Amino acid sequence: MNLPTLSAIVPNYNHANYVGEQLQAILNQSWSPKEIVVIDDDSTDSSVEVIESFAKQSDLIHLHRNPSNQGVISTVNRAVELASGDYICCCPADDRVLPGFFEKSMTLLAQYPGAGLCCSHPAFLDDATGDIDKHEDWFHYGEKPCYISPEALIEVVSSHKLWIAGHTCIIKREFFLEEGGYLSDLKWYCDWFIFHAIAFRYGICYIPEALSALRVLPNSYSTTRQKDIAGEHEVLRNLIEILRTELYQDILPAFVRSQLLSQFPLVRTALKYPNINPYHPELV
């Protein structure tokens, strides 16, 4: 089977202790990507030296450096623009792809070329111990690798309170670009939003197996939102405004019916009662 092409994207900022481990895991995959696009976001540690040492060993690795620190959203968007594969996979420097990730995902996507992305069972890497928790007793969309249509996905998500784990996603590049990439106004929800927007438009492929591990760190970008209440409110107000735009009218019902927004009472209320001002202090 002739598989479509894949660009592995590795955003890095001050992860000299981890980026070599991730690059080696990518190079060890049973199916090689077309390229490995590494963007260093003006690191102040020895990250660049580590990346350059790997680039000398493999022609697949292409290092790009931001002239100044741009943040993860701009860095990933730039990487996608530079990528040339049919599909992209964001492989953050501090995470770790697991054996078979690319081969199994790309094989399934080749069978369902209309799908927007392929995701799998989320695993978590304990930074302190190095142990990988595959959580194999929960979070299953199905028992076998499969395609789930947009309509079926609404039922699956609402019935089991599931969400798409971003670190397990391989996405069709053209769909990512159609959505405008990561939206900076959504900050730590930018990946969550675009993955689900693509999923509700085109459906997903799913593999009930742990194929990529998210490293659990106390100061990761996603965990900072727990300490920034004002920032969280701002992001949710932005989410409301974006969902209300014409661009998302076709999939807004899917976001609502799937109960994906149940974790955001402010968003659900504002969308249910459009005349309510989401900026009103009583709602935040």
Side-chain angles (χ1 to χ4, degrees):
M1 178 186 297
N2 293 323
L3 299 182
T5 57
L6 170 68
S7 295
I9 291 172
V10 182
N12 176 79
Y13 176 64
N14 284 348
H15 282 316
N17 292 336
Y18 305 126
V19 65
E21 179 182 312
Q22 178 69 301
L23 289 174
Q24 190 62 60
I26 293 172
L27 292 172
N28 288 345
Q29 288 287 301
S30 56
W31 185 84
S32 295
K34 176 182 181 180
E35 60 189 353
I36 303 171
V37 180
V38 185
I39 295 195
D40 182 77
D41 195 20
D42 196 30
S43 292
T44 58
D45 64 1
S46 60
S47 291
V48 170
E49 288 82 355
V50 174
I51 297 166
E52 287 178 337
S53 69
F54 275 85
K56 291 177 181 178
Q57 302 173 36
S58 174
D59 292 337
L60 291 177
I61 298 174
H62 307 293
L63 171 62
H64 304 268
R65 301 175 66 179
N66 289 340
S68 61
N69 185 261
Q70 303 294 312
V72 64
I73 294 175
S74 293
T75 297
V76 172
N77 285 340
R78 182 190 176 203
V80 175
E81 292 286 352
L82 291 168
S84 60
D86 301 313
Y87 291 82
I88 55 171
C89 180
C90 185
C91 309
D94 53 332
D95 291 346
R96 188 192 302 168
V97 297
L98 303 179
F101 180 29
F102 292 167
E103 181 176 7
K104 293 178 180 180
S105 299
M106 295 302 294
T107 298
L108 190 58
L109 284 166
Q111 295 176 37
Y112 300 97
L117 60 84
C118 183
C119 60
S120 54
H121 194 76
F124 301 90
L125 172 61
D126 188 314
D127 184 56
T129 66
D131 294 336
I132 294 178
D133 187 346
K134 296 185 177 181
H135 284 294
E136 293 180 338
D137 59 336
W138 64 285
F139 210 91
H140 285 277
Y141 283 81
E143 298 303 319
K144 298 180 179 179
C146 62
Y147 168 75
I148 304 175
S149 70
E151 187 64 27
L153 184 63
I154 294 173
E155 177 62 28
V156 171
V157 172
S158 62
S159 299
H160 303 287
K161 301 296 187 294
L162 298 178
W163 45 268
I164 294 171
H167 65 285
T168 75
C169 287
I170 292 180
I171 313 152
K172 186 169 284 190
R173 179 173 176 269
E174 67 174 291
F175 293 164
F176 185 94
L177 294 173
E178 283 178 3
E179 296 293 337
Y182 285 169
L183 302 179
S184 60
D185 287 346
L186 295 182
K187 296 184 180 180
W188 39 76
Y189 292 126
C190 65
D191 52 349
W192 170 91
F193 180 76
I194 194 171
F195 297 150
H196 288 89
I198 290 173
F200 286 137
R201 282 203 170 107
Y202 303 103
I204 67 171
C205 289
Y206 171 72
I207 301 174
E209 183 179 350
L211 296 176
S212 182
L214 174 73
R215 189 182 299 269
V216 180
L217 294 169
N219 297 314
S220 67
Y221 181 63
S222 60
T223 57
T224 58
R225 72 175 188 265
Q226 299 173 3
K227 306 173 184 178
D228 186 2
I229 297 176
E232 177 81 353
H233 291 159
E234 177 187 0
V235 172
L236 294 183
R237 289 194 295 267
N238 292 338
L239 176 58
I240 292 167
E241 295 303 325
I242 289 170
L243 285 171
R244 282 176 170 174
T245 63
E246 184 177 352
L247 181 61
Y248 295 102
Q249 288 305 299
D250 60 324
I251 55 175
L252 175 57
F255 272 90
V256 175
R257 289 171 52 204
S258 66
Q259 300 184 46
L260 192 64
L261 302 175
S262 61
Q263 60 180 310
F264 309 125
L266 164 66
V267 179
R268 288 189 294 108
T269 301
L271 292 175
K272 185 176 182 180
Y273 303 102
N275 293 328
I276 287 181
N277 179 5
Y279 297 89
H280 194 285
E282 289 186 3
L283 287 179
V284 298

